[in-house]
């Protein structure tokens, strides 16, 4: 039982540490990539390849990623 508790604790601490480390990364590279992606993003031609793409949700996600709080 102690073995499982210890391994679970180590995994949780590792994941939480990784989460905090991601906040230290610079947002500038992400924003540059979003700007490049939006230039090539096809908003109207969803049915060309019979794909059901949710543009509305994609734009919300891109907005949240690039938002400066």
């Amino acid at each position: 039982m102690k073995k499982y508790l210890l391994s679970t604790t180590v995994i949780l601490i590792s994941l939480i540490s990784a989460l905090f480390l991601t906040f230290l990364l610079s947002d500038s590279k992400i924003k540059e990539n979003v700007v490049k992606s939006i230039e090539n993003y096809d908003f109207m031609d969803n049915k060309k390849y019979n794909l059901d793409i949710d543009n509305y949700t994609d734009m919300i996600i891109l907005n949240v990623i690039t938002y400066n709080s």
Side-chain angles (χ1 to χ4, degrees):
M1 183 69 178
K2 281 187 174 185
K3 183 173 127 178
Y4 295 116
L5 184 61
L6 179 64
S7 62
T8 303
T9 305
V10 169
I11 289 172
L12 282 174
I13 290 172
S14 300
L15 291 174
I16 291 171
S17 299
L19 180 66
F20 284 115
L21 286 174
T22 58
F23 286 112
L24 298 176
L25 297 174
S26 173
D27 291 341
S28 62
K29 294 289 184 185
I30 295 173
K31 290 178 184 179
E32 289 174 16
N33 194 21
V34 168
V35 169
K36 289 178 188 176
S37 298
I38 288 177
E39 292 173 358
N40 296 324
Y41 201 85
D42 189 6
F43 293 100
M44 298 300 176
D45 203 10
N46 291 340
K47 302 300 179 188
K48 182 177 181 180
Y49 300 107
N50 291 327
L51 298 174
D52 188 21
I53 299 173
D54 190 3
N55 288 328
Y56 180 71
T57 305
D58 292 343
M59 290 301 105
I60 290 174
I61 292 170
L62 291 174
N63 191 17
V64 168
I65 290 171
T66 59
Y67 179 72
N68 287 332
S69 59

